[in-house]
Amino acid sequence: MSILKADALQGKTAAGDIDVTSEGGAATMQLQQGLAKMWCLWNQEGSVSIRDSFNAASLTDNGTGKGQVNFSSAMGNSTYSYAGHHSDVGGGYVTTVINNTSYQAVNSATQFRVSMLNGDGYQDSKYCGYSVLGDLA
Amino acid sequence: MAGTIIADQIEHSTAGSLDTSYVVNGSAKAWVRINGIAATIDDSLNCGSLTDNGTGDYSVARVNSMSSADTYYVIEGQYINSQNTNGTDWSGTTSATVQYKVYDSGARDRDPVGYLLVGDLA
């Protein structure tokens, strides 16, 4: 087994561009672009708390069913992609609201906001898990 | 390519070590943020052109193909005024059909729709 020991990886031609070979060997992809830039599993119920996370400095409780993850390192823009879900604790349909002014769920480069609804009412969930993909600043 | 390092493991001086297989297998192979109203891509990885197939129905071409159509994905769309569901049909290794639907009133164009794909590249 070969081991590369390093505290940082940096592209030679461009510092922010390191390619990795695909599993099948037919393609290369940029390492940085494929990495999640933030992920967080948190409890939105009661006193909000982070269960586990990466690049999530803190949470802000904006009210029932309104979560906010504050990034440690900011994104380069607010148009990043995202994925995730929150648990259903009350039955019925669980709805995630992202990037909607009416529901106070507008993202920015420094924070990821999500509102959680069950039916048409806000709902705090014990298990909220989301990841962010895009460009760090 | 300017230079290549071949290694089975990466070791940080204080944060531990990681098999490089986790880097390759654990990285997202595609992600996209779609403006479903304008039928445009805001930002993406490994996604080419977007085709608007109709209300709430888009096709996204991949730049690099996946080795299998059996890949794990997550998709989220913006909420509107009713109870929602999101659906994605990754119909093949070279392109995807992303659909956004509402439970009680059918397909809807929304902005944004985000998705993440994890699996093996060809």
Side-chain angles (χ1 to χ4, degrees), chain A residues 1-9 12-13 19-31 33-35 77-86 93-101 103 107 117-120 130-131 133-135, chain B residues 1-3 5-14 17 19 23-33 42-45 64-65 67 74-84 86 103 110-116 119-122:
Chain A
M1 176 183 288
S2 56
I3 301 175
L4 171 64
K5 297 185 177 182
D7 292 336
L9 297 174
K12 181 179 179 183
T13 304
D19 289 340
V20 293
T21 302
S22 68
E23 292 87 346
T28 59
M29 61 170 282
Q30 193 184 56
L31 173 63
Q33 283 288 287
L35 301 177
N77 55 56
S78 61
T79 58
Y80 45 81
S81 191
Y82 48 79
H85 220 270
H86 64 94
Y93 301 123
V94 176
T95 301
T96 297
V97 185
I98 299 172
N99 255 45
N100 187 312
T101 304
Y103 291 89
N107 297 330
L117 292 89
N118 190 334
D120 288 326
Y130 290 89
S131 59
L133 299 112
D135 300 341
Chain B
M1 185 176 291
I5 296 174
I6 299 175
D8 297 321
Q9 198 173 75
I10 298 174
E11 182 175 311
H12 188 275
S13 62
T14 58
S17 61
D19 284 355
V23 176
V24 177
N25 294 315
S27 299
K29 298 306 170 10
W31 55 260
V32 65
R33 173 174 161 142
D42 289 330
D43 201 0
S44 68
L45 167 69
N64 292 311
S65 302
S67 64
V74 183
I75 182 169
E76 287 283 355
Q78 190 199 51
Y79 176 78
I80 48 174
N81 58 2
S82 187
Q83 295 168 334
N84 298 347
N86 307 315
Y103 272 117
R110 300 310 302 162
D111 172 31
V113 175
Y115 110 93
L116 157 71
D120 293 344
L121 283 170

Side-chain angles (χ1 to χ4, degrees), chain B residues 6-110:
Chain B
I6 299 175
D8 297 321
Q9 198 173 75
I10 298 174
E11 182 175 311
H12 188 275
S13 62
T14 58
S17 61
L18 177 73
D19 284 355
T20 50
S21 61
Y22 284 94
V23 176
V24 177
N25 294 315
S27 299
K29 298 306 170 10
W31 55 260
V32 65
R33 173 174 161 142
I34 297 170
N35 180 335
I37 297 173
T40 57
I41 292 176
D42 289 330
D43 201 0
S44 68
L45 167 69
N46 195 25
C47 293
S49 59
L50 180 145
T51 302
D52 188 352
N53 300 320
T55 303
D57 189 343
Y58 321 96
S59 292
V60 182
R62 294 198 185 94
V63 176
N64 292 311
S65 302
M66 301 298 290
S67 64
S68 165
D70 294 327
T71 53
Y72 168 76
Y73 62 82
V74 183
I75 182 169
E76 287 283 355
Q78 190 199 51
Y79 176 78
I80 48 174
N81 58 2
S82 187
Q83 295 168 334
N84 298 347
T85 183
N86 307 315
T88 306
D89 176 19
W90 286 94
S91 54
T93 59
T94 58
S95 66
T97 300
V98 178
Q99 297 179 325
Y100 185 83
K101 295 179 179 177
V102 181
Y103 272 117
D104 57 0
S105 55
R108 285 287 183 275
D109 285 335
R110 300 310 302 162

Side-chain angles (χ1 to χ4, degrees), chain A residues 40-128:
Chain A
C40 187
L41 178 67
W42 77 94
N43 178 5
Q44 183 69 26
E45 193 174 72
S47 181
V48 297
S49 59
I50 294 176
R51 298 177 185 274
D52 200 1
S53 68
F54 169 67
N55 196 28
S58 61
L59 300 174
T60 300
D61 190 348
N62 294 318
T64 301
K66 298 172 185 175
Q68 176 178 320
V69 180
N70 303 304
F71 301 148
S72 298
S73 297
M75 299 295 289
N77 55 56
S78 61
T79 58
Y80 45 81
S81 191
Y82 48 79
H85 220 270
H86 64 94
S87 62
D88 172 15
V89 296
Y93 301 123
V94 176
T95 301
T96 297
V97 185
I98 299 172
N99 255 45
N100 187 312
T101 304
S102 299
Y103 291 89
Q104 301 174 35
V106 177
N107 297 330
S108 74
T110 58
Q111 61 189 222
F112 173 79
R113 281 187 173 186
V114 57
S115 289
M116 310 155 195
L117 292 89
N118 190 334
D120 288 326
Y122 290 101
Q123 169 193 279
D124 280 341
S125 296
K126 289 183 177 180
Y127 291 91
C128 311

